[in-house]
Amino acid sequence: FWKPSEITWFAIASSFAMQRLSMKWLFKTPEWVTNDLEAKEYLRKLRLYAIIFNVGIIVWAIISTIIEERNM
């Protein structure tokens, strides 16, 4: 995300806005992305990495549960 060069830190509101948009873009493509090949690629990677992260968390939870049950 772009930020002005005179800003040396992100404000909390900016951080929340960035996270909100990132979540929204997982499910809906903004109109301005349709004509920008580079933005399309970034959006594709965002979605791919979100899937990989979430599948990893689910696999970790399943493995943790199986290990915990075997140790009881």
Side-chain angles (χ1 to χ4, degrees), residues 23-35:
M23 287 299 294
K24 186 176 181 180
W25 292 343
L26 288 175
F27 304 103
K28 184 173 177 21
T29 302
E31 288 183 27
W32 56 267
V33 171
T34 56
N35 297 325

Side-chain angles (χ1 to χ4, degrees), residues 51-61:
I51 290 169
I52 291 169
F53 175 81
N54 286 304
V55 168
I57 293 293
I58 291 168
V59 169
W60 172 81

Side-chain angles (χ1 to χ4, degrees), residues 7-69:
I7 301 293
T8 57
W9 53 274
F10 268 115
I12 292 174
S14 295
S15 179
F16 287 140
M18 179 183 68
Q19 290 183 12
R20 184 177 55 93
L21 281 175
S22 293
M23 287 299 294
K24 186 176 181 180
W25 292 343
L26 288 175
F27 304 103
K28 184 173 177 21
T29 302
E31 288 183 27
W32 56 267
V33 171
T34 56
N35 297 325
D36 187 342
L37 294 177
E38 187 176 3
K40 276 185 183 179
E41 183 62 18
Y42 283 129
L43 189 56
R44 187 187 70 76
K45 286 180 181 179
L46 172 71
R47 290 171 175 165
L48 176 64
Y49 296 153
I51 290 169
I52 291 169
F53 175 81
N54 286 304
V55 168
I57 293 293
I58 291 168
V59 169
W60 172 81
I62 291 169
I63 291 172
S64 294
T65 303
I66 291 169
I67 291 172
E68 188 64 33
E69 287 179 1

